[in-house]
Amino acid sequence: MELSLAHPVIKAFMCGSLSGTCSTLLFQPLDLVKTRLQTLQSTVQPGSARVGMVTVLLSVVRTEKLLGLWKGVSPSFVRTIPGVGIYFSTYYSLKQHFCQDRSLGAIEAMMLGVGARTVAGVFMLPVTVIKTRFESGRYNYGSVAGALRCVCQTEGPKALFSGLMPTLIRDAPFSGIYVMFYSQTKASLPKEISTSAYAPVANFSCGVLAGVLASLITQPADVVKTHVQVSTQLRTADAIKYIYMEHGLQGFFRGAVPRSLRRTMMAAMAWTVYEQMMTRIGLKS
């Protein structure tokens, strides 16, 4: 069956891609700071000279100028524009197939979120690896295409799928938990609010609450994923052991503040923009 630009799934893809573009451009600095915090060398002891989000941010601005905060934005765009489009179009397809027009229950919402994120996460993992390396400051790639070619030539294509398990362990539960909390809190809103001009603001607030809860629950998996993708000689189990031996349990929550801010604001904005656009083109999100 041929798909035209008028097909609902294509429309969902386009709405998702646009929402992802806006949120990525705004919140890329938070992702860079999060990655730098998680990949600090082991010589920096968490207990003594505590290195925090503001310290890293000022250091990046001082050494790499203000635009240094957007380092890695190219692979972020390459990943996010199609990635968020794939996520929302998959979510829309699954919802139409399994739930149609009825309201989602908590478990149904979680499963839809997990399924959509798994599809998008596997498909976009190679670009995610490159994005993480750009942000770490340890690699001097000139472009996304050049980075992909360099990794394939020096480390083999397998390296582009490093961190697959911790990525899915992080992203699939995050999406499932987020969609569950978001759909349930939004459904609990009074009808006067959900149908008023303030609906986007109310939906955004529901997204913020859902994002904070989902981010904190999945933070340890994000730290492990970052270490595996930056140092490809580490396996997932090795990375867990390394983080614990070097930094203790608190090491699994390094970068929690910038990640929570970024993931929460990005998800809330993406869902708000997506739903408003879907409504404008006459589709139920």
Side-chain angles (χ1 to χ4, degrees):
M1 182 177 67
E2 293 184 0
L3 292 178
S4 69
L5 291 176
H7 195 280
V9 175
I10 301 298
K11 290 181 178 180
F13 179 89
M14 295 173 68
C15 291
S17 295
L18 181 58
S19 69
T21 302
C22 297
S23 55
T24 296
L25 184 61
L26 283 174
F27 302 118
Q28 174 63 21
L30 288 172
D31 204 28
L32 181 135
V33 171
K34 179 269 297 183
T35 300
R36 295 289 176 91
L37 279 172
Q38 290 179 351
T39 56
L40 286 173
Q41 299 298 327
S42 59
T43 53
V44 179
Q45 297 299 323
S48 53
R50 196 174 187 91
V51 179
M53 175 178 161
V54 176
T55 304
V56 172
L57 186 134
L58 293 176
S59 175
V60 172
V61 172
R62 185 171 56 253
T63 59
E64 305 174 45
K65 308 301 182 184
L66 185 62
L67 288 179
L69 292 172
W70 275 267
K71 191 171 186 178
V73 74
S74 295
S76 287
F77 276 140
V78 173
R79 182 189 70 159
T80 302
I81 294 176
V84 178
I86 292 170
Y87 172 80
F88 278 117
S89 57
T90 303
Y91 173 83
Y92 178 83
S93 299
L94 291 173
K95 185 179 179 183
Q96 292 301 308
H97 182 74
F98 291 106
C99 304
Q100 297 180 349
D101 293 328
R102 61 186 175 84
S103 299
L104 294 176
I107 301 300
E108 290 174 325
M110 176 179 284
M111 296 307 295
L112 288 180
V114 168
R117 179 53 62 193
T118 299
V119 172
V122 172
F123 192 84
M124 300 306 300
L125 186 62
V127 183
T128 302
V129 172
I130 298 302
K131 168 185 167 294
T132 302
R133 292 189 176 195
F134 262 94
E135 293 170 351
S136 71
R138 299 185 187 180
Y139 298 84
N140 295 313
Y141 298 130
S143 65
V144 177
L148 289 168
R149 186 167 55 252
C150 178
V151 172
C152 286
Q153 291 174 348
T154 60
E155 304 173 47
K158 186 178 179 181
L160 291 174
F161 288 89
S162 61
L164 174 61
M165 286 310 298
T167 297
L168 293 181
I169 290 171
R170 176 200 67 170
D171 286 351
F174 175 90
S175 179
I177 294 168
Y178 180 91
V179 175
M180 180 185 70
F181 281 121
Y182 178 69
S183 63
Q184 298 308 298
T185 53
K186 195 176 74 164
S188 67
L189 291 173
K191 191 173 182 180
E192 310 85 71
I193 295 178
S194 59
T195 57
S196 71
Y198 298 102
V201 177
N203 292 345
F204 187 85
S205 300
C206 292
V208 169
L209 175 62
V212 170
L213 295 172
S215 293
L216 293 177
I217 293 171
T218 58
Q219 178 63 22
D222 183 69
V223 178
V224 174
K225 184 271 309 180
T226 299
H227 277 271
V228 171
Q229 291 180 342
V230 172
S231 303
T232 54
Q233 68 272 19
L234 287 179
R235 296 179 180 273
T236 300
D238 297 329
I240 294 173
K241 182 179 179 180
Y242 170 81
I243 295 166
Y244 180 75
M245 295 298 292
E246 291 291 331
H247 308 293
L249 289 176
Q250 63 182 350
F252 291 100
F253 290 90
R254 272 190 163 187
V257 174
R259 176 175 180 263
S260 294
L261 283 173
R262 176 187 172 274
R263 289 300 297 266
T264 296
M265 300 304 288
M266 279 193 70
M269 174 175 282
W271 273 90
T272 301
V273 172
Y274 166 75
E275 291 184 329
Q276 290 302 304
M277 290 187 65
M278 291 288 280
T279 299
R280 287 184 179 276
I281 62 177
L283 292 176
K284 186 176 181 180
S285 57

